[in-house]
Every structure is written in C-alpha cells, then in structure tokens.
Amino acid sequence: MILPIYLYGSEVLREEAREVESDSAELQSLIDDMIETMRGAAGIGLAGPQVGRELRLFVVDLDPLREDLEADGEEIPEQPMVFINPEIVSESDEVVAFEEGCLSIPDIRYDIDRPAEVVIRYLDRDFNEQTLAAAGMLARVVQHEYDHIEGVLFVDYLSSLKRKLIARRLRDISAGAIESEYPVLAPLQQA
Ligand code: NI
C-alpha cells in the first residue's frame, strides 16, 4: 500500500525517533509499504518519520541507479535494503559534496557536504545484525536517511543565505500549497 509522505513542517520529521522493539506482522507490512511508497515516488530512500512513524527504520533502493553506479566502480549490494535501529559507528575524515533532495521537501536540491564513507551497524528485516562499510551513493543515502530518524533534514546544513532563498518555497511546502506527483500530507492535513 502506498502511504502519504509527510511534508516539511511536520512535527514527526523533527523528532528523535524511537527504537524498533520487536519484529511483528505490522512491522513487516510497514516495511513493505515503505518500499512500495519509496518506489512509487521514484525515491532511493525513505525513513519511518516520513510516513508518520516515529521509528528508527529506513529503506533504501539503489536499483534504479545500479547501472550508472556500477559503471562508476561502485559496489551495490542486493536491493532494497532495510535498516532497523541503525547506528553509524565510524565516518571517514574525507568529506564530499553531492546534490541531495528529499521526498518530504519536493523540488529542492542542493549540494551537501558529508563524510565520503561510513560504517553502519543495523538489523536487517530478518533482525540479523549487519555491519556495512558504505561509500559513494550508498554512503550518501544512508547518512541522509539516518538524519531523518534523528529529526534532521538536509536543508538544515544550508547556509543562512541559501535558506533565505528557499524560505518561501519551504513555507509553500508546509502549507501543502504545492503540486506533487505522489501522495503527500502537509502538517495541517495531519489530524
Ligand atoms: Ni529525505
């Protein structure tokens, strides 16, 4: 089932999400819905808070970019990937800039500096503990999604000048005064 994506301005996007406590049929069905929602919105990552669930959980699907990424020498594990209760255990000193966007902040894209590589420990959807050394696009998306479960959005990293440039657009997004190609929920539509 495709779920509506909560837009910028939603409180749930600003909360520190809580740990997933145990596996359940509801959790597995939420994971399926999140993967379907991410793909339906042509996204490569989606975190629990973006569908209104205050949970430390996100999904990633780099398959749409696989050919290009592999041509650039990146190694992409089997997709989609599910990260439950993830923890970033180390980051490289090297920082790289790359353009980011976010399904909760439609049509805004900016270069953001982040560590080039990270090591992340998490539970997969079978609740097996995994440790992943991620570089390239995988490191990028994992860090962006990890931020979501900490209540952080990529626009938070922009300079105050750049934030002024997008202030009006952000207001429109939080008011739901935008066109979107996928189902969204603005703060006032959240009962
Ligand atoms: Ni995002």
mmCIF file of all heavy atoms in Angstrom, residues 1-32:
data_model
loop_
_atom_site.group_PDB
_atom_site.id
_atom_site.type_symbol
_atom_site.label_atom_id
_atom_site.label_comp_id
_atom_site.label_asym_id
_atom_site.label_seq_id
_atom_site.Cartn_x
_atom_site.Cartn_y
_atom_site.Cartn_z
ATOM 1 N N MET A 1 0.840 -1.187 0.000
ATOM 2 C CA MET A 1 0.000 0.000 0.000
ATOM 3 C C MET A 1 0.886 1.253 0.000
ATOM 4 O O MET A 1 1.835 1.332 0.779
ATOM 5 C CB MET A 1 -0.879 -0.013 1.263
ATOM 6 C CG MET A 1 -1.862 1.123 1.341
ATOM 7 S SD MET A 1 -2.982 0.926 2.766
ATOM 8 C CE MET A 1 -1.858 1.095 4.146
ATOM 9 N N ILE A 2 0.542 2.175 -0.877
ATOM 10 C CA ILE A 2 1.305 3.427 -0.907
ATOM 11 C C ILE A 2 0.816 4.349 0.205
ATOM 12 O O ILE A 2 -0.382 4.561 0.365
ATOM 13 C CB ILE A 2 1.191 4.095 -2.297
ATOM 14 C CG1 ILE A 2 1.986 3.246 -3.309
ATOM 15 C CG2 ILE A 2 1.679 5.536 -2.256
ATOM 16 C CD1 ILE A 2 2.194 3.873 -4.653
ATOM 17 N N LEU A 3 1.754 4.841 1.006
ATOM 18 C CA LEU A 3 1.423 5.712 2.136
ATOM 19 C C LEU A 3 1.693 7.165 1.740
ATOM 20 O O LEU A 3 2.597 7.428 0.933
ATOM 21 C CB LEU A 3 2.298 5.352 3.344
ATOM 22 C CG LEU A 3 2.270 3.884 3.779
ATOM 23 C CD1 LEU A 3 3.361 3.615 4.818
ATOM 24 C CD2 LEU A 3 0.896 3.532 4.340
ATOM 25 N N PRO A 4 0.949 8.116 2.307
ATOM 26 C CA PRO A 4 1.269 9.515 2.033
ATOM 27 C C PRO A 4 2.583 9.903 2.711
ATOM 28 O O PRO A 4 2.881 9.421 3.812
ATOM 29 C CB PRO A 4 0.085 10.286 2.626
ATOM 30 C CG PRO A 4 -0.556 9.371 3.600
ATOM 31 C CD PRO A 4 -0.203 7.954 3.204
ATOM 32 N N ILE A 5 3.338 10.753 2.049
ATOM 33 C CA ILE A 5 4.626 11.204 2.597
ATOM 34 C C ILE A 5 4.434 12.535 3.313
ATOM 35 O O ILE A 5 3.846 13.471 2.764
ATOM 36 C CB ILE A 5 5.672 11.301 1.469
ATOM 37 C CG1 ILE A 5 5.972 9.877 0.961
ATOM 38 C CG2 ILE A 5 6.943 12.005 1.951
ATOM 39 C CD1 ILE A 5 6.958 9.791 -0.171
ATOM 40 N N TYR A 6 4.881 12.575 4.565
ATOM 41 C CA TYR A 6 4.731 13.771 5.395
ATOM 42 C C TYR A 6 5.701 14.850 4.914
ATOM 43 O O TYR A 6 6.895 14.591 4.713
ATOM 44 C CB TYR A 6 4.989 13.436 6.866
ATOM 45 C CG TYR A 6 3.843 12.700 7.516
ATOM 46 C CD1 TYR A 6 3.276 11.579 6.921
ATOM 47 C CD2 TYR A 6 3.309 13.131 8.726
ATOM 48 C CE1 TYR A 6 2.217 10.906 7.512
ATOM 49 C CE2 TYR A 6 2.244 12.465 9.333
ATOM 50 C CZ TYR A 6 1.699 11.354 8.714
ATOM 51 O OH TYR A 6 0.646 10.695 9.311
ATOM 52 N N LEU A 7 5.161 16.055 4.740
ATOM 53 C CA LEU A 7 5.945 17.151 4.173
ATOM 54 C C LEU A 7 6.698 17.945 5.232
ATOM 55 O O LEU A 7 6.326 17.932 6.416
ATOM 56 C CB LEU A 7 5.025 18.103 3.404
ATOM 57 C CG LEU A 7 4.422 17.573 2.102
ATOM 58 C CD1 LEU A 7 3.500 18.636 1.488
ATOM 59 C CD2 LEU A 7 5.504 17.167 1.099
ATOM 60 N N TYR A 8 7.707 18.655 4.748
ATOM 61 C CA TYR A 8 8.460 19.627 5.555
ATOM 62 C C TYR A 8 7.484 20.431 6.425
ATOM 63 O O TYR A 8 6.445 20.874 5.934
ATOM 64 C CB TYR A 8 9.227 20.569 4.627
ATOM 65 C CG TYR A 8 10.050 21.588 5.371
ATOM 66 C CD1 TYR A 8 11.350 21.293 5.759
ATOM 67 C CD2 TYR A 8 9.519 22.833 5.698
ATOM 68 C CE1 TYR A 8 12.102 22.228 6.461
ATOM 69 C CE2 TYR A 8 10.265 23.771 6.399
ATOM 70 C CZ TYR A 8 11.559 23.454 6.782
ATOM 71 O OH TYR A 8 12.292 24.378 7.481
ATOM 72 N N GLY A 9 7.836 20.627 7.672
ATOM 73 C CA GLY A 9 6.954 21.342 8.591
ATOM 74 C C GLY A 9 6.232 20.392 9.535
ATOM 75 O O GLY A 9 5.718 20.825 10.561
ATOM 76 N N SER A 10 6.210 19.100 9.181
ATOM 77 C CA SER A 10 5.556 18.107 10.031
ATOM 78 C C SER A 10 6.392 17.856 11.285
ATOM 79 O O SER A 10 7.607 17.677 11.188
ATOM 80 C CB SER A 10 5.399 16.780 9.274
ATOM 81 O OG SER A 10 4.723 16.980 8.051
ATOM 82 N N GLU A 11 5.718 17.829 12.437
ATOM 83 C CA GLU A 11 6.443 17.622 13.691
ATOM 84 C C GLU A 11 7.217 16.307 13.718
ATOM 85 O O GLU A 11 8.324 16.229 14.244
ATOM 86 C CB GLU A 11 5.452 17.612 14.856
ATOM 87 C CG GLU A 11 5.481 18.880 15.682
ATOM 88 C CD GLU A 11 4.391 18.888 16.731
ATOM 89 O OE1 GLU A 11 4.338 17.937 17.533
ATOM 90 O OE2 GLU A 11 3.583 19.839 16.718
ATOM 91 N N VAL A 12 6.616 15.266 13.138
ATOM 92 C CA VAL A 12 7.240 13.939 13.202
ATOM 93 C C VAL A 12 8.615 13.924 12.525
ATOM 94 O O VAL A 12 9.478 13.114 12.860
ATOM 95 C CB VAL A 12 6.289 12.872 12.603
ATOM 96 C CG1 VAL A 12 6.112 13.065 11.102
ATOM 97 C CG2 VAL A 12 6.737 11.455 12.934
ATOM 98 N N LEU A 13 8.837 14.866 11.597
ATOM 99 C CA LEU A 13 10.136 14.934 10.911
ATOM 100 C C LEU A 13 11.208 15.563 11.790
ATOM 101 O O LEU A 13 12.382 15.576 11.434
ATOM 102 C CB LEU A 13 10.017 15.747 9.618
ATOM 103 C CG LEU A 13 9.142 15.155 8.523
ATOM 104 C CD1 LEU A 13 9.078 16.106 7.327
ATOM 105 C CD2 LEU A 13 9.685 13.794 8.076
ATOM 106 N N ARG A 14 10.784 16.132 12.926
ATOM 107 C CA ARG A 14 11.712 16.852 13.797
ATOM 108 C C ARG A 14 11.967 16.124 15.106
ATOM 109 O O ARG A 14 12.655 16.632 15.981
ATOM 110 C CB ARG A 14 11.164 18.250 14.078
ATOM 111 C CG ARG A 14 11.235 19.161 12.855
ATOM 112 C CD ARG A 14 12.608 19.095 12.248
ATOM 113 N NE ARG A 14 12.906 20.168 11.309
ATOM 114 C CZ ARG A 14 14.097 20.324 10.750
ATOM 115 N NH1 ARG A 14 15.079 19.478 11.032
ATOM 116 N NH2 ARG A 14 14.323 21.288 9.902
ATOM 117 N N GLU A 15 11.376 14.936 15.247
ATOM 118 C CA GLU A 15 11.544 14.205 16.495
ATOM 119 C C GLU A 15 12.654 13.163 16.373
ATOM 120 O O GLU A 15 12.915 12.645 15.297
ATOM 121 C CB GLU A 15 10.226 13.510 16.869
ATOM 122 C CG GLU A 15 9.253 14.489 17.497
ATOM 123 C CD GLU A 15 7.814 14.063 17.391
ATOM 124 O OE1 GLU A 15 7.559 12.882 17.062
ATOM 125 O OE2 GLU A 15 6.944 14.915 17.621
ATOM 126 N N GLU A 16 13.280 12.895 17.512
ATOM 127 C CA GLU A 16 14.226 11.790 17.534
ATOM 128 C C GLU A 16 13.392 10.512 17.621
ATOM 129 O O GLU A 16 12.652 10.328 18.585
ATOM 130 C CB GLU A 16 15.143 11.929 18.751
ATOM 131 C CG GLU A 16 16.379 11.082 18.642
ATOM 132 C CD GLU A 16 17.278 11.261 19.863
ATOM 133 O OE1 GLU A 16 17.421 12.408 20.324
ATOM 134 O OE2 GLU A 16 17.797 10.239 20.343
ATOM 135 N N ALA A 17 13.475 9.681 16.585
ATOM 136 C CA ALA A 17 12.607 8.502 16.533
ATOM 137 C C ALA A 17 13.032 7.480 17.587
ATOM 138 O O ALA A 17 14.168 7.484 18.063
ATOM 139 C CB ALA A 17 12.646 7.894 15.139
ATOM 140 N N ARG A 18 12.090 6.596 17.948
ATOM 141 C CA ARG A 18 12.409 5.600 18.985
ATOM 142 C C ARG A 18 12.778 4.257 18.345
ATOM 143 O O ARG A 18 12.395 3.967 17.201
ATOM 144 C CB ARG A 18 11.234 5.441 19.946
ATOM 145 C CG ARG A 18 9.970 4.965 19.294
ATOM 146 C CD ARG A 18 8.849 4.739 20.317
ATOM 147 N NE ARG A 18 7.846 3.867 19.729
ATOM 148 C CZ ARG A 18 6.907 4.279 18.891
ATOM 149 N NH1 ARG A 18 6.836 5.538 18.542
ATOM 150 N NH2 ARG A 18 6.052 3.424 18.377
ATOM 151 N N GLU A 19 13.504 3.472 19.105
ATOM 152 C CA GLU A 19 13.969 2.179 18.608
ATOM 153 C C GLU A 19 12.792 1.255 18.284
ATOM 154 O O GLU A 19 11.761 1.285 18.964
ATOM 155 C CB GLU A 19 14.829 1.489 19.674
ATOM 156 C CG GLU A 19 16.070 2.265 20.049
ATOM 157 C CD GLU A 19 17.339 1.456 19.820
ATOM 158 O OE1 GLU A 19 17.363 0.267 20.207
ATOM 159 O OE2 GLU A 19 18.291 2.027 19.259
ATOM 160 N N VAL A 20 12.975 0.442 17.271
ATOM 161 C CA VAL A 20 12.026 -0.628 16.976
ATOM 162 C C VAL A 20 12.275 -1.707 18.024
ATOM 163 O O VAL A 20 13.404 -2.163 18.203
ATOM 164 C CB VAL A 20 12.267 -1.191 15.561
ATOM 165 C CG1 VAL A 20 11.379 -2.393 15.296
ATOM 166 C CG2 VAL A 20 12.051 -0.103 14.514
ATOM 167 N N GLU A 21 11.224 -2.091 18.745
ATOM 168 C CA GLU A 21 11.433 -3.006 19.876
ATOM 169 C C GLU A 21 11.411 -4.471 19.488
ATOM 170 O O GLU A 21 12.133 -5.277 20.041
ATOM 171 C CB GLU A 21 10.428 -2.721 20.986
ATOM 172 C CG GLU A 21 10.891 -1.528 21.822
ATOM 173 C CD GLU A 21 9.879 -1.064 22.828
ATOM 174 O OE1 GLU A 21 8.920 -1.813 23.104
ATOM 175 O OE2 GLU A 21 10.059 0.045 23.340
ATOM 176 N N SER A 22 10.537 -4.820 18.550
ATOM 177 C CA SER A 22 10.482 -6.234 18.181
ATOM 178 C C SER A 22 9.871 -6.383 16.800
ATOM 179 O O SER A 22 9.247 -5.468 16.273
ATOM 180 C CB SER A 22 9.645 -7.014 19.197
ATOM 181 O OG SER A 22 8.364 -6.460 19.246
ATOM 182 N N ASP A 23 10.082 -7.571 16.247
ATOM 183 C CA ASP A 23 9.519 -7.894 14.940
ATOM 184 C C ASP A 23 8.027 -8.180 15.113
ATOM 185 O O ASP A 23 7.599 -8.606 16.178
ATOM 186 C CB ASP A 23 10.228 -9.140 14.387
ATOM 187 C CG ASP A 23 9.991 -9.292 12.894
ATOM 188 O OD1 ASP A 23 9.363 -8.394 12.289
ATOM 189 O OD2 ASP A 23 10.438 -10.311 12.332
ATOM 190 N N SER A 24 7.265 -7.896 14.074
ATOM 191 C CA SER A 24 5.830 -8.201 14.124
ATOM 192 C C SER A 24 5.305 -8.186 12.701
ATOM 193 O O SER A 24 5.965 -7.665 11.788
ATOM 194 C CB SER A 24 5.080 -7.145 14.951
ATOM 195 O OG SER A 24 5.171 -5.886 14.310
ATOM 196 N N ALA A 25 4.127 -8.746 12.516
ATOM 197 C CA ALA A 25 3.497 -8.722 11.197
ATOM 198 C C ALA A 25 3.258 -7.272 10.775
ATOM 199 O O ALA A 25 3.414 -6.909 9.612
ATOM 200 C CB ALA A 25 2.178 -9.485 11.234
ATOM 201 N N GLU A 26 2.905 -6.408 11.747
ATOM 202 C CA GLU A 26 2.665 -4.988 11.438
ATOM 203 C C GLU A 26 3.939 -4.331 10.940
ATOM 204 O O GLU A 26 3.917 -3.541 9.997
ATOM 205 C CB GLU A 26 2.170 -4.235 12.686
ATOM 206 C CG GLU A 26 0.760 -4.554 13.127
ATOM 207 C CD GLU A 26 0.649 -5.869 13.894
ATOM 208 O OE1 GLU A 26 1.705 -6.421 14.327
ATOM 209 O OE2 GLU A 26 -0.474 -6.373 14.040
ATOM 210 N N LEU A 27 5.067 -4.654 11.596
ATOM 211 C CA LEU A 27 6.338 -4.054 11.183
ATOM 212 C C LEU A 27 6.690 -4.500 9.761
ATOM 213 O O LEU A 27 7.075 -3.684 8.921
ATOM 214 C CB LEU A 27 7.468 -4.432 12.145
ATOM 215 C CG LEU A 27 8.818 -3.814 11.765
ATOM 216 C CD1 LEU A 27 8.852 -2.327 12.108
ATOM 217 C CD2 LEU A 27 9.982 -4.537 12.436
ATOM 218 N N GLN A 28 6.565 -5.789 9.482
ATOM 219 C CA GLN A 28 6.911 -6.308 8.153
ATOM 220 C C GLN A 28 6.012 -5.681 7.081
ATOM 221 O O GLN A 28 6.475 -5.365 5.981
ATOM 222 C CB GLN A 28 6.811 -7.837 8.129
ATOM 223 C CG GLN A 28 7.874 -8.532 8.996
ATOM 224 C CD GLN A 28 9.301 -8.272 8.527
ATOM 225 O OE1 GLN A 28 9.569 -8.164 7.330
ATOM 226 N NE2 GLN A 28 10.239 -8.158 9.466
ATOM 227 N N SER A 29 4.752 -5.472 7.425
ATOM 228 C CA SER A 29 3.848 -4.864 6.469
ATOM 229 C C SER A 29 4.173 -3.377 6.273
ATOM 230 O O SER A 29 4.098 -2.854 5.150
ATOM 231 C CB SER A 29 2.416 -5.134 6.952
ATOM 232 O OG SER A 29 1.567 -4.111 6.637
ATOM 233 N N LEU A 30 4.591 -2.697 7.353
ATOM 234 C CA LEU A 30 5.044 -1.305 7.224
ATOM 235 C C LEU A 30 6.265 -1.229 6.305
ATOM 236 O O LEU A 30 6.361 -0.339 5.456
ATOM 237 C CB LEU A 30 5.364 -0.725 8.610
ATOM 238 C CG LEU A 30 6.030 0.660 8.614
ATOM 239 C CD1 LEU A 30 5.105 1.723 8.006
ATOM 240 C CD2 LEU A 30 6.439 1.072 10.025
ATOM 241 N N ILE A 31 7.211 -2.173 6.474
ATOM 242 C CA ILE A 31 8.414 -2.183 5.633
ATOM 243 C C ILE A 31 8.021 -2.355 4.165
ATOM 244 O O ILE A 31 8.517 -1.630 3.285
ATOM 245 C CB ILE A 31 9.386 -3.288 6.105
ATOM 246 C CG1 ILE A 31 9.998 -2.906 7.466
ATOM 247 C CG2 ILE A 31 10.482 -3.532 5.064
ATOM 248 C CD1 ILE A 31 10.770 -4.037 8.144
ATOM 249 N N ASP A 32 7.110 -3.299 3.891
ATOM 250 C CA ASP A 32 6.640 -3.483 2.507
ATOM 251 C C ASP A 32 6.014 -2.194 1.966
ATOM 252 O O ASP A 32 6.274 -1.788 0.832
ATOM 253 C CB ASP A 32 5.605 -4.616 2.429
ATOM 254 C CG ASP A 32 6.241 -5.985 2.581
ATOM 255 O OD1 ASP A 32 7.452 -6.127 2.296
ATOM 256 O OD2 ASP A 32 5.535 -6.931 2.984
#
